[in-house]
Short mmCIF file of all heavy atoms in Angstrom, two decimals:
data_model
loop_
_atom_site.label_atom_id
_atom_site.label_comp_id
_atom_site.label_asym_id
_atom_site.label_seq_id
_atom_site.Cartn_x
_atom_site.Cartn_y
_atom_site.Cartn_z
N GLN A 34 -84.25 41.91 -4.59
CA GLN A 34 -84.28 41.27 -3.27
C GLN A 34 -82.91 40.75 -2.84
O GLN A 34 -82.73 40.35 -1.70
CB GLN A 34 -85.33 40.16 -3.19
CG GLN A 34 -85.04 38.94 -4.03
CD GLN A 34 -85.66 39.01 -5.41
OE1 GLN A 34 -86.02 40.08 -5.89
NE2 GLN A 34 -85.79 37.88 -6.06
N SER A 35 -81.93 40.82 -3.71
CA SER A 35 -80.57 40.42 -3.34
C SER A 35 -79.77 41.58 -2.74
O SER A 35 -78.57 41.46 -2.54
CB SER A 35 -79.84 39.84 -4.56
OG SER A 35 -79.73 40.79 -5.58
N TRP A 36 -80.45 42.67 -2.40
CA TRP A 36 -79.79 43.83 -1.81
C TRP A 36 -79.06 43.48 -0.52
O TRP A 36 -78.05 44.09 -0.20
CB TRP A 36 -80.79 44.96 -1.55
CG TRP A 36 -81.78 44.65 -0.47
CD1 TRP A 36 -83.01 44.07 -0.63
CD2 TRP A 36 -81.62 44.85 0.93
NE1 TRP A 36 -83.62 43.92 0.57
CE2 TRP A 36 -82.78 44.39 1.57
CE3 TRP A 36 -80.60 45.38 1.71
CZ2 TRP A 36 -82.96 44.43 2.93
CZ3 TRP A 36 -80.78 45.42 3.09
CH2 TRP A 36 -81.94 44.96 3.68
N TRP A 37 -79.55 42.51 0.21
CA TRP A 37 -78.96 42.15 1.50
C TRP A 37 -77.54 41.64 1.35
O TRP A 37 -76.74 41.77 2.29
CB TRP A 37 -79.84 41.14 2.23
CG TRP A 37 -79.98 39.85 1.49
CD1 TRP A 37 -80.94 39.51 0.58
CD2 TRP A 37 -79.10 38.72 1.57
NE1 TRP A 37 -80.71 38.25 0.08
CE2 TRP A 37 -79.59 37.74 0.68
CE3 TRP A 37 -77.96 38.46 2.31
CZ2 TRP A 37 -78.96 36.52 0.52
CZ3 TRP A 37 -77.34 37.23 2.14
CH2 TRP A 37 -77.84 36.28 1.25
N VAL A 38 -77.19 41.09 0.19
CA VAL A 38 -75.82 40.63 -0.05
C VAL A 38 -74.87 41.82 0.03
O VAL A 38 -73.78 41.73 0.61
CB VAL A 38 -75.70 39.92 -1.42
CG1 VAL A 38 -74.27 39.57 -1.74
CG2 VAL A 38 -76.60 38.69 -1.46
N TRP A 39 -75.29 42.96 -0.55
CA TRP A 39 -74.48 44.17 -0.50
C TRP A 39 -74.36 44.68 0.93
O TRP A 39 -73.30 45.17 1.33
CB TRP A 39 -75.07 45.25 -1.40
CG TRP A 39 -74.95 44.88 -2.84
CD1 TRP A 39 -75.95 44.44 -3.66
CD2 TRP A 39 -73.76 44.87 -3.63
NE1 TRP A 39 -75.44 44.17 -4.91
CE2 TRP A 39 -74.11 44.44 -4.91
CE3 TRP A 39 -72.44 45.20 -3.37
CZ2 TRP A 39 -73.18 44.32 -5.94
CZ3 TRP A 39 -71.51 45.08 -4.38
CH2 TRP A 39 -71.89 44.65 -5.66
N LEU A 40 -75.44 44.58 1.70
CA LEU A 40 -75.40 45.02 3.09
C LEU A 40 -74.41 44.18 3.89
O LEU A 40 -73.56 44.72 4.61
CB LEU A 40 -76.79 44.92 3.72
CG LEU A 40 -76.88 45.26 5.21
CD1 LEU A 40 -76.50 46.71 5.45
CD2 LEU A 40 -78.26 44.95 5.75
N VAL A 41 -74.49 42.87 3.77
CA VAL A 41 -73.59 41.99 4.50
C VAL A 41 -72.14 42.25 4.09
O VAL A 41 -71.26 42.39 4.95
CB VAL A 41 -73.97 40.50 4.28
CG1 VAL A 41 -72.91 39.56 4.84
CG2 VAL A 41 -75.33 40.21 4.91
N ALA A 42 -71.89 42.35 2.79
CA ALA A 42 -70.52 42.60 2.32
C ALA A 42 -70.02 43.94 2.85
O ALA A 42 -68.88 44.04 3.32
CB ALA A 42 -70.48 42.58 0.79
N GLY A 43 -70.85 44.96 2.80
CA GLY A 43 -70.44 46.27 3.28
C GLY A 43 -70.11 46.26 4.76
O GLY A 43 -69.10 46.82 5.19
N LEU A 44 -70.94 45.59 5.55
CA LEU A 44 -70.69 45.52 6.99
C LEU A 44 -69.43 44.71 7.31
O LEU A 44 -68.66 45.07 8.19
CB LEU A 44 -71.90 44.94 7.71
CG LEU A 44 -73.16 45.82 7.68
CD1 LEU A 44 -74.34 45.09 8.32
CD2 LEU A 44 -72.92 47.16 8.32
N VAL A 45 -69.23 43.62 6.57
CA VAL A 45 -68.04 42.79 6.78
C VAL A 45 -66.78 43.59 6.46
O VAL A 45 -65.81 43.60 7.23
CB VAL A 45 -68.10 41.49 5.95
CG1 VAL A 45 -66.75 40.80 5.87
CG2 VAL A 45 -69.15 40.55 6.51
N PHE A 46 -66.78 44.30 5.33
CA PHE A 46 -65.61 45.09 4.96
C PHE A 46 -65.40 46.27 5.89
O PHE A 46 -64.27 46.65 6.17
CB PHE A 46 -65.66 45.52 3.50
CG PHE A 46 -65.33 44.41 2.54
CD1 PHE A 46 -66.30 43.86 1.71
CD2 PHE A 46 -64.05 43.90 2.47
CE1 PHE A 46 -66.00 42.84 0.84
CE2 PHE A 46 -63.72 42.88 1.60
CZ PHE A 46 -64.71 42.34 0.79
N CYS A 47 -66.50 46.87 6.40
CA CYS A 47 -66.36 47.94 7.40
C CYS A 47 -65.66 47.40 8.65
O CYS A 47 -64.72 48.02 9.17
CB CYS A 47 -67.73 48.49 7.80
SG CYS A 47 -68.39 49.73 6.69
N ALA A 48 -66.12 46.25 9.13
CA ALA A 48 -65.51 45.65 10.31
C ALA A 48 -64.06 45.29 10.05
O ALA A 48 -63.18 45.53 10.88
CB ALA A 48 -66.31 44.41 10.74
N LEU A 49 -63.80 44.72 8.88
CA LEU A 49 -62.43 44.33 8.53
C LEU A 49 -61.51 45.55 8.51
O LEU A 49 -60.37 45.48 9.00
CB LEU A 49 -62.43 43.64 7.17
CG LEU A 49 -61.08 43.13 6.66
CD1 LEU A 49 -60.52 42.07 7.60
CD2 LEU A 49 -61.24 42.56 5.26
N SER A 50 -62.00 46.66 8.00
CA SER A 50 -61.16 47.86 7.92
C SER A 50 -60.76 48.37 9.31
O SER A 50 -59.74 49.04 9.46
CB SER A 50 -61.84 48.96 7.13
OG SER A 50 -62.89 49.55 7.87
N LEU A 51 -61.57 48.06 10.31
CA LEU A 51 -61.25 48.47 11.68
C LEU A 51 -60.07 47.70 12.27
O LEU A 51 -59.39 48.20 13.17
CB LEU A 51 -62.47 48.28 12.59
CG LEU A 51 -63.68 49.16 12.29
CD1 LEU A 51 -64.85 48.73 13.16
CD2 LEU A 51 -63.35 50.62 12.49
N PHE A 52 -59.85 46.50 11.78
CA PHE A 52 -58.83 45.63 12.37
C PHE A 52 -57.53 45.55 11.57
O PHE A 52 -56.57 44.95 12.03
CB PHE A 52 -59.40 44.22 12.58
CG PHE A 52 -60.52 44.21 13.58
CD1 PHE A 52 -61.84 44.16 13.17
CD2 PHE A 52 -60.26 44.28 14.94
CE1 PHE A 52 -62.87 44.16 14.09
CE2 PHE A 52 -61.28 44.28 15.87
CZ PHE A 52 -62.59 44.23 15.44
N VAL A 53 -57.51 46.12 10.37
CA VAL A 53 -56.30 46.09 9.55
C VAL A 53 -55.33 47.14 10.09
O VAL A 53 -55.70 48.30 10.28
CB VAL A 53 -56.65 46.35 8.06
CG1 VAL A 53 -55.41 46.52 7.23
CG2 VAL A 53 -57.51 45.22 7.52
N GLN A 54 -54.10 46.74 10.32
CA GLN A 54 -53.10 47.62 10.91
C GLN A 54 -52.58 48.68 9.94
O GLN A 54 -52.32 49.80 10.35
CB GLN A 54 -51.91 46.78 11.42
CG GLN A 54 -52.27 45.85 12.55
CD GLN A 54 -52.63 46.59 13.83
OE1 GLN A 54 -52.04 47.62 14.14
NE2 GLN A 54 -53.61 46.08 14.56
N ASN A 55 -52.44 48.34 8.70
CA ASN A 55 -51.90 49.25 7.69
C ASN A 55 -52.95 50.31 7.33
O ASN A 55 -54.06 49.97 6.91
CB ASN A 55 -51.48 48.45 6.46
CG ASN A 55 -50.86 49.31 5.40
OD1 ASN A 55 -51.53 50.14 4.80
ND2 ASN A 55 -49.57 49.09 5.16
N ASP A 56 -52.60 51.58 7.51
CA ASP A 56 -53.55 52.66 7.27
C ASP A 56 -54.07 52.69 5.83
O ASP A 56 -55.27 52.83 5.61
CB ASP A 56 -52.93 54.02 7.60
CG ASP A 56 -52.80 54.26 9.09
OD1 ASP A 56 -53.48 53.54 9.87
OD2 ASP A 56 -52.04 55.15 9.48
#
Side-chain angles (χ1 to χ4, degrees):
Q34 68 267 19
S35 61
W36 68 268
W37 62 269
V38 175
W39 292 104
L40 176 64
V41 170
L44 293 175
V45 166
F46 284 111
C47 277
L49 182 62
S50 74
L51 294 173
F52 296 101
V53 172
Q54 295 293 323
N55 183 292
D56 286 343

